[in-house]
């Protein structure tokens, strides 16, 4: 089919110009901190696949960036621009030299390319590993917040595919190279057909993708919950009317200690680890096949088939139990005055611990559990979009057997439950009752809810996870605790500022502009001010208090951190109140 190649070329050239600046300091070598993991456990986190599929690994390795460029898309210099992390070479676990978190598995279905083709997809570490640079050193933060612009990268990848398909010589060379890397089942012809189909799907989806983007997710953020809903209930069900705008990008949260939390996600909406992970994997392009080739619903149980690798996901999850928050590397980022930190500990206990202290739930039996309180929007005053979108939006899932429109929480609960049970059934050997409970994670029930606020997490290790708040709208701890915050700043620069505790945010050439006036980007709320008003949660902090609390947050450990015992709370703030769900 003829396509406007000239227009595509123009887009590609523009995209290349608009791509983020070079990594200010590409790391030759990453400094590792003691986070409780052995080298083997780090490798499990970095490379264990979870069954998500971006495309065949041989395609990704063979793509070149531009219409005339010889540079590969997977060249570390190109990837550095998007702030992916280059791991130490590991020819056994990472033979393709992909960035950290790009994991490969052999395809089994449902749908997609022939069985056995090596597929690459994001595993947890792609979004949950950070890198901090300081004066020529680069520090890896296991379980920290990624800084990548995955959406810009995927756009670049899509353009590379379209250009490759359109330009005859490029296409031939690409097919030759893929064939050299992998004996494609069915031969070159079958490969060409598979590739053309993939390109066709990109072109068909592009206009919708553009319409759904209300605010750029940019570096370090994704509108994760809306993407999951759109993927499952829109794209996978071929119901474009179900796909809703992405106006609530959130910052990648750290994943140490999270297995202890009674509820996770910023809005404390999900309880069970496996459901959380299956939901995430489905949102990040694990395969499902809800419909047959003619677009008709498929009956149970095959309708719940998936490519999610539940035993591998469980392996990652259990490895996360060992992950400790990163210790402040004083030799690189500077010593912390112990007297100041001690003052900060005292101030933190009185000003912050009511919400951010560790709250150990009494009587949970074997598995320890920490209660993370939800503070209603009306009190915390931060951007409401993420919580509201999840609580208020509804979808037509009649093809999956739902009679009435359902909310995101209900859809996520039911779909992930069925998909995961089906995956357990299909394990070889099949999962026993005990293994099912273990895979679920402490036998926790699959509960999904949509509270009207955000959770206050314990803040050990938070120093390594800028920018702050669920939407990443505040560049540093200093700004978090000051009476005013910057209205715009740059995200994407990796150079760390140990005073303010955040990344440098003044060099536009190394990132993209974060504009707090855009939808979903509000930097209001969680204020310490002497006036009353929306989002004021305490009186103003003096300069000295602020400096002391920041010093404490650099060196806080579980041993010094405020901790108390609580009973298991009933329900989350304002949950179930009339009117909330439709707000
Ligand atoms: C494509 C990026 C991406 C991948 C891959 C990914 N996550 Fe996440 N994860 C996110 C984002 C974004 C959020 C925040 C979503 C929200 O709360 O609205 C999140 C939230 C979480 C949370 C909740 C944290 C909290 O503070 O409540 C946990 C736990 C988690 N992820 C674990 C995992 C695990 C385990 C995997 C792999 C099985 C994984 N994630 C894969 C992006 C990702
Ligand atoms: C009334 C409860 C409450 C108090 C008191 C409170 N916080 Fe928070 N805090 C929250 C909530 C809720 C969030 C999440 C808000 C959001 O993401 O929109 C949060 C988020 C944060 C974050 C950002 C975490 C992240 O994921 O980016 C930091 C840092 C923080 N608080 C520090 C403090 C410090 C320091 C104090 C004491 C000076 C304090 N907070 C007092 C409720 C509280």
């Amino acid at each position: 089919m003829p396509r406007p190649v000239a227009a595509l070329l123009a887009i590609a050239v523009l995209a290349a110009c608009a791509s983020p600046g070079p990594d200010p300091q590409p790391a030759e070598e990453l400094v590792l901190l003691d986070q409780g993991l052995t080298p083997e456990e780090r490798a499990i986190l970095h490379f264990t696949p979870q069954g998500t599929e971006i495309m065949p690994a041989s395609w990704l390795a063979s793509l070149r960036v531009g219409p005339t460029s010889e540079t590969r898309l997977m060249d570390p210099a190109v990837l550095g621009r998007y702030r992916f992390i280059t791991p130490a070479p590991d020819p056994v676990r990472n033979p393709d030299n992909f960035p950290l978190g790009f994991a490969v598995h052999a395809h089994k279905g449902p749908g997609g390319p022939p069985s056995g083709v090596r597929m690459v997809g994001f595993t947890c570490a792609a979004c949950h590993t950070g890198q901090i640079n300081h004066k020529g050193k680069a520090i890896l933060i296991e379980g920290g917040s990624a800084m990548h612009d995955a959406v810009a990268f995927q756009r670049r990848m899509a353009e590379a595919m379209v250009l490759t398909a359109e330009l005859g010589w490029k296409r031939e060379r690409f097919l030759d190279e893929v064939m050299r890397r992998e004996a494609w089942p069915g031969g070159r012809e079958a490969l060409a057909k598979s590739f053309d189909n993939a390109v066709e799907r990109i072109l068909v989806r592009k206009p919708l993708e553009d319409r759904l983007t209300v605010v750029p997710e940019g570096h370090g953020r994704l509108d994760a919950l809306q993407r999951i809903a759109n993927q499952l209930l829109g794209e996978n069900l071929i119901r474009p009317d179900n796909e809703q705008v992405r106006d609530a990008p959130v910052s990648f949260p750290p994943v140490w200690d999270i297995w202890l939390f009674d509820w996770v996600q910023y809005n404390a909406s999900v309880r069970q680890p496996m459901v959380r992970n299956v939901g995430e994997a489905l949102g990040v392009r694990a395969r499902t096949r809800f419909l047959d080739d003619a677009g008709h619903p498929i009956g149970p149980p095959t309708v719940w088939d998936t490519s999610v690798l539940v035993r591998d996901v469980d392996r990652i999850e259990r490895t996360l139990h060992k992950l400790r928050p990163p210790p402040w590397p004083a030799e690189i980022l500077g010593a912390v005055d112990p007297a100041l930190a001690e003052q900060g500990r005292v101030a933190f206990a009185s000003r912050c611990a009511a919400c951010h202290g560790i709250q150990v739930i009494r009587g949970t039996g074997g598995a320890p559990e920490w209660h993370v309180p939800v503070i209603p929007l009306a009190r915390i005053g931060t951007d409401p979009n993420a919580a509201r979108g999840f609580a208020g939006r509804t979808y037509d899932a009649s093809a999956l057997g739902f009679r009435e429109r359902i909310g995101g929480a209900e859809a996520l609960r039911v779909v992930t439950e069925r998909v995961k049970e089906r995956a357990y059934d299909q394990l070889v050997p099949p999962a026993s009752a005990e293994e099912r409970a273990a895979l679920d994670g402490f036998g926790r029930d699959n509960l999904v809810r949509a509270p009207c606020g955000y959770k206050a997490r314990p803040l050990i290790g938070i120093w390594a996870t800028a920018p702050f708040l669920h939407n990443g709208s505040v560049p540093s701890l200093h700004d978090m605790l000051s009476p005013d915050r910057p209205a715009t700043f740059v995200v994407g620069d990796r150079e760390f500022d140990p005073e303010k505790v955040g990344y440098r945010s003044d060099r536009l050439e190394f990132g993209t502009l974060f504009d707090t006036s855009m939808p979903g980007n509000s930097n209001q709320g969680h204020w310490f001010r002497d006036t009353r008003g929306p989002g004021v949660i305490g009186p103003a902090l003096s300069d000295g208090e602020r400096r002391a609390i920041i010093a404490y947050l650099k060196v806080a450990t579980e041993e010094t951190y405020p901790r108390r015992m609580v009973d298991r709370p009933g329900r989350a703030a304002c949950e179930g109140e009339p009117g909330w769900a439709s707000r």
Side-chain angles (χ1 to χ4, degrees):
M1 165 190 329
R3 275 191 283 262
V5 178
L8 287 169
L9 289 179
I11 292 170
V13 171
L14 280 177
C17 298
S19 78
D23 200 338
Q25 280 165 0
E28 297 303 321
E29 224 170 86
L30 292 162
V31 176
L32 304 179
L33 304 177
D34 178 3
Q35 294 192 251
L37 301 178
T38 62
E40 178 56 31
E41 286 162 346
R42 286 183 196 265
I44 291 176
L45 292 186
H46 296 175
F47 301 119
T48 306
Q50 51 164 344
T52 57
E53 304 195 336
I54 299 173
M55 67 171 80
S58 56
W59 297 11
L60 192 55
S62 305
L63 284 173
R64 319 276 165 140
V65 279
T68 54
S69 175
E70 287 298 306
T71 310
R72 287 177 199 280
L73 186 64
M74 297 311 272
D75 186 301
V78 176
L79 293 163
R81 285 177 172 260
Y82 297 94
R83 304 295 181 265
F84 287 105
I85 299 176
T86 309
D90 185 341
V92 176
R93 295 195 190 82
N94 185 17
D96 309 277
N97 256 324
F98 286 153
L100 200 151
F102 283 56
V104 175
H105 68 274
H107 179 75
K108 271 211 320 264
S115 276
V117 168
R118 295 173 68 245
M119 300 298 285
V120 57
F122 282 156
T123 192
C124 320
C127 301
H128 294 297
T129 313
Q131 180 187 323
I132 285 176
N133 293 352
H134 191 60
K135 297 192 177 155
K137 293 249 165 59
I139 309 162
L140 189 75
I141 308 293
E142 302 282 5
S145 313
M147 192 191 260
H148 54 59
D149 187 342
V151 175
F153 172 71
Q154 294 207 14
R155 216 178 303 128
R156 191 79 182 271
M157 193 169 70
E159 279 151 12
M161 286 180 69
V162 172
L163 285 168
T164 303
E166 291 302 328
L167 302 174
W169 61 273
K170 247 178 126 65
R171 183 168 182 279
E172 293 310 304
R173 187 175 70 174
F174 171 82
L175 297 175
D176 289 344
E177 188 172 339
V178 171
M179 288 303 287
R180 271 201 308 279
R181 287 176 187 271
E182 176 154 33
W184 194 267
R188 201 170 188 280
E189 199 115 307
L191 166 65
K193 194 153 174 250
S194 247
F195 181 65
D196 291 342
N197 286 342
V199 170
E200 196 59 46
R201 274 197 303 278
I202 290 173
L203 291 172
V204 167
R205 249 200 94 72
K206 186 162 188 321
L208 179 59
E209 277 297 319
D210 291 347
R211 254 201 334 272
L212 295 173
T213 306
V214 171
V215 53
E217 286 152 301
H219 289 92
R221 299 198 305 172
L222 276 181
D223 190 340
L225 293 178
Q226 194 58 54
R227 279 185 178 272
I228 295 174
N230 286 355
Q231 180 73 48
L232 282 181
L233 305 169
E235 194 172 348
N236 296 10
L237 280 182
I238 318 183
R239 287 294 301 252
D241 55 313
N242 270 339
E243 299 202 36
Q244 310 207 22
V245 294
R246 296 185 292 255
D247 59 1
V250 297
S251 182
F252 298 117
V255 290
W256 47 81
D257 296 338
I258 42 80
W259 61 281
L260 292 155
F261 298 176
D262 55 350
W263 293 85
V264 296
Q265 309 300 17
Y266 285 110
N267 60 353
S269 52
V270 177
R271 174 141 170 80
Q272 186 197 86
M274 184 56 89
V275 157
R276 174 239 295 156
N277 292 335
V278 167
E280 166 271 320
L282 293 174
V284 187
R285 299 196 156 272
R287 275 180 201 276
T288 57
R289 192 173 39 186
F290 294 155
L291 307 173
D292 65 17
D293 292 343
H296 300 126
I298 292 178
T302 44
V303 61
W304 307 115
D305 283 357
T306 170
S307 65
V308 180
L309 302 164
V310 284
R311 278 197 180 118
D312 290 304
V313 168
D314 179 57
R315 191 151 173 252
I316 299 172
E317 180 70 26
R318 278 184 293 111
T319 305
L320 287 177
H321 294 190
K322 308 214 174 118
L323 174 69
R324 300 281 160 268
W328 175 265
E331 60 295 353
I332 301 174
L333 298 180
V336 179
D337 174 1
L340 187 63
E342 175 54 22
Q343 265 178 49
R345 189 188 63 79
V346 174
F348 187 85
S350 72
R351 306 290 304 263
C352 320
C355 297
H356 290 292
I358 294 175
Q359 305 186 26
V360 182
I361 301 177
R362 277 193 196 90
T364 52
E369 215 176 314
W370 294 357
H371 172 56
V372 283
V374 176
I375 313 301
L377 291 177
R379 169 117 203 268
I380 197 71
T382 54
D383 194 284
N385 282 12
R388 280 201 181 145
F390 191 66
R393 292 180 174 175
T394 63
Y395 307 86
D396 179 335
S398 44
L400 295 176
F402 294 91
R403 294 231 178 82
E404 290 175 12
R405 289 181 72 83
I406 53 168
E410 176 69 357
L412 196 61
R413 187 182 68 76
V414 175
V415 172
T416 53
E417 178 68 21
R418 307 256 159 91
V419 164
K420 115 185 134 62
E421 290 300 319
R422 174 77 175 152
Y424 292 173
D425 289 343
Q426 293 192 306
L427 286 172
V428 189
S432 65
E434 297 91 273
E435 194 194 356
R436 284 172 188 255
L439 288 169
D440 280 350
F442 324 113
R444 282 190 188 180
D445 287 339
N446 172 9
L447 304 174
V448 185
R449 61 183 194 182
C452 63
Y454 300 110
K455 75 176 192 298
R457 67 190 306 134
L459 298 176
I460 305 169
I462 205 74
W463 66 267
T465 67
F468 298 102
L469 289 180
H470 72 279
N471 60 354
S473 59
V474 184
S476 70
L477 283 183
H478 171 85
D479 295 313
M480 265 304 285
L481 303 177
S482 295
D484 289 298
R485 297 170 185 156
T488 58
F489 60 97
V490 175
V491 215
D493 197 330
R494 277 203 172 112
E495 186 63 20
F496 193 72
D497 175 347
E499 294 300 314
K500 289 188 158 179
V501 186
Y503 295 98
R504 272 192 74 165
S505 56
D506 58 334
R507 303 189 289 186
L508 193 52
E509 65 273 31
F510 292 134
T512 43
L513 196 70
F514 190 113
D515 179 351
T516 60
S517 70
M518 294 189 82
N521 283 4
S522 164
N523 66 350
Q524 299 295 301
H526 196 286
W527 291 118
F528 293 92
R529 287 175 171 167
D530 287 328
T531 50
R532 282 165 168 265
V536 176
I537 57 170
L541 299 161
S542 69
D543 263 0
E545 271 176 310
R546 182 164 45 242
R547 283 193 332 141
I549 290 174
I550 291 174
Y552 173 63
L553 287 175
K554 293 176 182 177
V555 296
T557 59
E558 240 192 82
E559 288 69 45
T560 66
Y561 202 77
R563 171 188 288 258
R564 62 186 189 276
M565 302 290 291
V566 297
D567 290 320
R568 184 182 297 286
R571 46 183 209 172
C574 64
E575 188 179 340
E577 274 182 16
W580 167 249
S582 58
R583 231 182 285 176

